[in-house]
Amino acid sequence: MDTGRPRNALAFDVTHQLVLSIAIPMTLGFMTTPLLGITNTAVVGRMGDPEALAGLAIGAMLFDLIMGSFNFLRASTTGLTAQALGRRDAHEQQAVFWRAIVSALGSGLALLVLSPLLILVGLKLMGAEGRIAEATSTYFSIRILAAPAALANYALLGFVLGRGQGRTGLLLQALINGINILLSIYLGLSLDWGVSGVAWGTMAGETAGALAGLFIVLRSFDRAHRPNRTEVFSRAKLAELFALNRDILIRTFVLIGSFAIMTRIGTSFGAITLAANAVLMNFFLLSGYYLDGLANAAEQITGRAIGAQYRPAFDRGLRLTTLWSFGLAAIISAFFYFAGPALIAGLTSSPEVQAAAETYMPWAAVTGLTGALAFLMDGVFIGATWSVDMRNRMLMSFAGYLAMLAVFVPLFGNHGLWLAMNAFLLFRGFFLAVLVKPRAAQTFRAAQ
């Protein structure tokens, strides 16, 4: 029906096909990451040494805490690229990419220089001692060598996701994690390198992925839209990027810090419980990566809609991604609940760790449902670049998480720890969801 209003020249239709064309490839790609974690856990777990497995868990957590703090490189790149795509501004898309890559490589080199201090501080914070500390140091010292490549991969993935190129994102994730998995098994088990083999496999995968990603992206650039150095390093654009990255950095640091606190508290329950939690965290991570594909679809569609100033695409994208997110969350939670014992047995050969993990398994199984809204809202707010809201609401959620820990861990031990984590996921989703409608009304101009 003709309303008498001219259609927005930048308008686009949001369909189930569009959502799934982004979500399915990225879901498949992201699922290779927790499969990597499962493989690494299984490689070390098959050694039958709880201290080595606990050391791997702490080392991986330290690395994720540090590298995850730089997730703003992916998030900001996705949002800004998607908005430039919505405006059909190919020139700015390239400028966004170069700002992200330069930031990534510079940050990676800084981490290399600071790595000796980082591992010392990390071991102190995590309370790791003896053979656990030795395994942690071995893993971290090798894996940190890939820091520049790992951060470049954040920028590369953010760029291709911002352009809605889910298949390219899948290719890069599969390459990174596929090489990592194969080398971790070969070096860790076949050559009996253990924890160091797992770390060298990770380094090789990150490096190969960065080189392949740069080749693919640079080949796609049109020279006619190449920005000059002054445009790339525009003071106004860099100030905008710094503000966005600052807020996302705070939000991400708090998020990763919440997992570090969980690991630290788990350490106080002993090596068996800590190892059991490390096994179960793979369930949580797999649930998250399973849903991240839809969060990425929300990022791209939201950012593109805002760039095009087309509210109908924003609203329909939100409805469709919500529908798919909760449907898939229910499936993954049911799968882990019923298949949990068999999966645990495949991840560790230690009877003590198996028994402990089965005890707490239901808490890990439901994280898909409790976290579905949080993952989706992260995607919406990243695509919209509503970074101040993300930061503030994360701080509110973290305060609630700390309160839950203070109350329930003394009462219920490790059960209380998992209860607090699920509550934290619920807080994150709800606190952001209540802001979507008013923020969207402020962001979109009235149709002309």
Side-chain angles (χ1 to χ4, degrees), residues 254-295:
V254 172
L255 176 60
I256 300 299
S258 69
F259 301 141
I261 290 173
M262 184 176 183
T263 301
R264 180 65 181 87
I265 294 175
T267 303
S268 68
F269 298 138
I272 299 298
T273 299
L274 178 60
N277 285 349
V279 169
L280 293 176
M281 280 301 290
N282 287 297
F283 290 16
F284 168 67
L285 293 173
L286 186 57
S287 296
Y289 286 116
Y290 187 68
L291 295 170
D292 261 345
L294 283 160

Side-chain angles (χ1 to χ4, degrees), residues 99 227-235:
R99 291 182 200 115
N228 59 43
R229 185 177 301 177
T230 301
E231 291 169 321
V232 170
F233 297 104
S234 161
R235 180 172 297 181

Side-chain angles (χ1 to χ4, degrees), residues 433-445:
V434 297
L435 283 181
V436 170
K437 187 174 181 179
R439 289 295 176 267
Q442 295 172 4
T443 298
F444 288 95
R445 297 190 299 267

